[in-house]
Amino acid sequence: MKRPSSRSIRARLTLWYVAVLALILAVYLGVVFFFQLALLERQMYHDAVQDVETVEALFFFDPSGQLQLQQNYFVHPQNRLLVDRLVEVQNLSGQVLYRSSTLKNLPLDGAQFPSEGTNSFNERTTKLADGSRVFLVSHVHPVEGHPLLIRLGYRLSSLESRMLQFTFVLLLGLPIALIAAAFAGYGIARKALSPLDEMTERAESITSKNLHERLTVENPDDELGRMARVFNHLLGRLERAFAELQRFTADAAHELRTPLASVRTTGELALERNPGADEFRETVSSMLEETIRLNQTIDGLLILARTEARQVGETEELVSLPELVHEILKLLEVVIEERRVSVSEDHDGHPEVPVCADRSFVRAAILNVLHNAIKFSPPGSRLQIAYSSATLESKPAERVCIADSGPGIQAGEHERIFDRFFTSRNPDTQLSSGSGLGLSIAKLAIDRCGGRIFFDKAATEGARCCIDLPVGQCPPEKK
């Protein structure tokens, strides 16, 4: 049997279980003790009242005027007055007329108090001169026409001894019950938590080599089952992320290897052929083009890495989409003029509402979408930018759509076009395709802003890319 650690859940559950049980048993024993004490006191009161009624009928005055107790009373063995009852009789002036031998000439509670025993039987606890505690019942009863106060007492020493024995028996069973409960509680805790041990061992065995394995879910509806299902979902997300990372690494290596190989081959051929100045110029030009492509790919990877590393919402501010689009159009003014593309803007007439987002993210996304639209637009065509209101997850949002007159998106590529290093199969776009990271950056940036970017599948001519961004109040310190 494995020794329980004080830091284990089983040990802590057992300790808590024993502590709570000890508290409950202590309260229970206290209640039982006081209930038993009250029951015995009530029984003692009834016995004392009966004894008082009995003894009242046995008193008489002898010819000399002395109060006496009939001696035939003592012949009945069932009368316990002979053994332990304390009897004292006073007249209403306080003069003691009779005192039983059990009192040994000690006064039974001293002088009378007002109305003592007049209306009913009075009960109380008092202490004799010898220090013993006495339960006392007093009653006024006429004897041969003389009203007398009769006091009858019972020493509590026997009751206290009885209650002490009763308490000792209860306390003797308490540790035995707690020890038995501790063993039972530990066994129950170990049985209940045994699936957790199995899940822990299984989780420890899962590495990057076997991310496809999952924890066993014995009961999906209990707490451990729900934890196992959540952990399995986590493993699923890790497996997908790991697979995506492997694919991304392979794609990045492929994208970087191709231009590097081209640069190396071009340089080696130039050295072998010993070309002239014009051929050297052409070779260097080719190598520079591949270098530019390499730089574009590396820049895209850096932007992706920095975008993923930035915390969401750390630089949110109110952003006007039309103002941001105008700023980007001005930046792309030279490219627009080279492509001889005209730009028109449409508003649906709704009041413009700024969006709350990271301005640099939104700028990067719109810049990539606009640059792609201009790049694929045929010379002399028109680029349409439309602003409208929208809803995003049942919340108000602002939408900007950019439509070009290019070759458009092939069927089945509307979602894949946002994948990293994706290259379309459309031969009309392959020559103008870049590193395949621009739209991936745009999607990542918009996702980080809580928005949505998509290509309109209903577009019949060219491509129409829309961006929805939520409308909301920015935190005051970030406005």
Side-chain angles (χ1 to χ4, degrees):
M1 180 178 177
K2 189 175 180 180
R3 184 179 180 182
S5 170
S6 59
R7 299 169 64 181
S8 69
I9 294 179
R10 289 190 293 272
R12 281 180 287 171
L13 283 177
T14 303
L15 290 176
W16 275 106
Y17 173 69
V18 172
V20 172
L21 181 62
L23 179 62
I24 293 175
L25 286 178
V27 174
Y28 173 74
L29 293 182
V31 171
V32 170
F33 176 83
F34 286 107
F35 178 77
Q36 180 70 11
L37 179 62
L39 188 66
L40 291 176
E41 287 180 345
R42 188 53 33 191
Q43 183 64 41
M44 189 167 54
Y45 169 75
H46 287 295
D47 292 345
V49 169
Q50 289 179 359
D51 289 339
V52 169
E53 291 175 342
T54 301
V55 82
E56 285 174 350
L58 299 176
F59 278 113
F60 68 97
F61 286 98
D62 59 14
S64 63
Q66 296 294 319
L67 185 66
Q68 300 291 339
L69 184 65
Q70 293 183 14
Q71 295 303 311
N72 59 351
Y73 174 79
F74 297 99
V75 302
H76 300 289
Q78 67 271 22
N79 291 325
R80 289 163 291 179
L81 279 172
L82 293 175
V83 181
D84 55 4
R85 288 297 189 265
L86 310 172
V87 181
E88 184 182 82
V89 181
Q90 300 178 8
N91 59 22
L92 297 186
S93 299
Q95 181 183 4
V96 177
L97 303 180
Y98 178 83
R99 183 173 285 158
S100 65
S101 61
T102 52
L103 277 171
K104 300 178 181 178
N105 294 324
L106 294 175
L108 188 58
D109 203 26
Q112 303 172 22
F113 61 84
S115 303
E116 179 181 358
T118 303
N119 300 321
S120 181
F121 294 91
N122 290 121
E123 60 175 305
R124 62 188 182 276
T125 301
T126 185
K127 182 180 289 186
L128 298 181
D130 60 359
S132 58
R133 296 177 68 249
V134 173
F135 178 74
L136 178 64
V137 173
S138 56
H139 185 237
V140 174
H141 181 75
V143 176
E144 298 179 2
H146 300 280
L148 302 177
L149 175 64
I150 300 174
R151 287 174 171 172
L152 189 143
Y154 179 78
R155 294 183 188 274
L156 291 176
S157 56
S158 60
L159 175 65
E160 292 171 349
S161 176
R162 184 175 177 180
M163 292 307 300
L164 184 62
Q165 293 175 356
F166 178 69
T167 305
F168 176 74
V169 171
L170 291 179
L171 293 178
L172 182 63
L174 182 62
I176 299 175
L178 291 179
I179 292 173
F183 279 102
Y186 184 79
I188 293 173
R190 188 179 64 172
K191 179 68 175 176
L193 296 176
S194 59
L196 187 61
D197 290 336
E198 297 175 2
M199 285 191 287
T200 302
E201 294 177 0
R202 187 66 179 272
E204 286 177 343
S205 67
I206 296 177
T207 64
S208 60
K209 306 295 183 185
N210 57 347
L211 270 177
H212 60 281
E213 295 185 4
R214 297 292 182 268
L215 301 183
T216 303
V217 182
E218 295 183 354
N219 185 355
D221 297 326
D222 64 10
E223 290 80 357
L224 294 178
R226 288 198 294 273
M227 188 190 74
R229 286 191 288 117
V230 171
F231 192 81
N232 284 339
H233 287 311
L234 175 62
L235 285 177
R237 293 196 297 272
L238 284 176
E239 184 182 12
R240 289 191 294 274
F242 196 74
E244 185 177 348
L245 179 62
Q246 288 179 326
R247 184 165 55 85
F248 173 78
T249 304
D251 291 342
H254 175 75
E255 290 296 324
L256 294 175
R257 186 177 60 182
T258 302
L260 280 174
S262 177
V263 170
R264 179 179 178 181
T265 303
T266 304
E268 289 175 349
L269 288 175
L271 290 175
E272 290 176 358
R273 293 174 181 174
N274 192 18
D278 292 339
E279 290 175 311
F280 259 124
R281 185 183 301 276
E282 184 179 352
T283 300
V284 172
S285 177
S286 176
M287 294 173 68
L288 288 176
E289 289 179 1
E290 294 299 335
T291 304
I292 292 172
R293 185 181 171 189
L294 270 174
N295 285 334
Q296 289 177 343
T297 301
I298 292 172
D299 289 344
L301 292 174
L302 285 175
I303 293 173
L304 281 172
R306 289 169 180 169
T307 304
E308 287 177 334
R310 286 180 60 173
Q311 295 294 324
V312 177
E314 64 179 2
T315 56
E316 285 184 345
E317 58 182 318
L318 293 177
V319 179
S320 170
L321 289 180
E323 290 181 5
L324 186 58
V325 169
H326 293 163
E327 177 185 324
I328 296 172
L329 287 176
K330 190 173 182 180
L331 180 68
L332 298 174
E333 191 174 9
V334 177
V335 183
I336 292 173
E337 289 179 358
E338 286 181 352
R339 301 289 298 176
R340 291 181 285 112
V341 174
S342 61
V343 179
S344 63
E345 294 184 71
D346 298 321
H347 296 264
D348 66 351
H350 80 284
E352 181 206 344
V353 181
V355 299
C356 180
D358 190 309
R359 193 176 189 279
S360 61
F361 282 177
V362 181
R363 185 179 183 279
I366 295 178
L367 176 61
N368 278 292
V369 173
L370 270 175
H371 187 265
N372 266 358
I374 296 169
K375 185 169 61 176
F376 291 110
S377 293
S381 62
R382 187 175 63 175
L383 192 67
Q384 292 180 316
I385 302 174
Y387 305 96
S388 61
S389 60
T391 57
L392 186 63
E393 297 179 353
S394 304
K395 295 180 181 177
E398 288 286 304
R399 171 176 292 178
V400 54
C401 292
I402 300 166
D404 60 52
S405 303
I409 309 296
Q410 283 198 338
E413 294 183 350
H414 287 82
E415 301 295 335
R416 295 188 58 204
I417 200 167
F418 293 107
D419 291 347
R420 296 171 184 180
F421 301 113
F422 174 77
T423 302
S424 174
R425 295 170 297 177
N426 189 344
D428 296 333
T429 61
Q430 284 184 343
L431 293 177
S432 302
S433 296
S435 62
L437 292 175
L439 289 177
S440 300
I441 295 171
K443 179 170 175 50
L444 178 61
I446 296 300
D447 287 345
R448 302 284 283 183
C449 294
R452 176 179 59 178
I453 180 172
F454 60 96
F455 277 92
D456 186 2
K457 295 180 180 179
T460 56
E461 181 182 355
R464 186 170 183 264
C465 182
C466 296
I467 296 174
D468 292 344
L469 288 168
V471 173
Q473 295 294 326
C474 291
E477 66 274 10
K478 295 180 179 179
K479 282 183 179 178

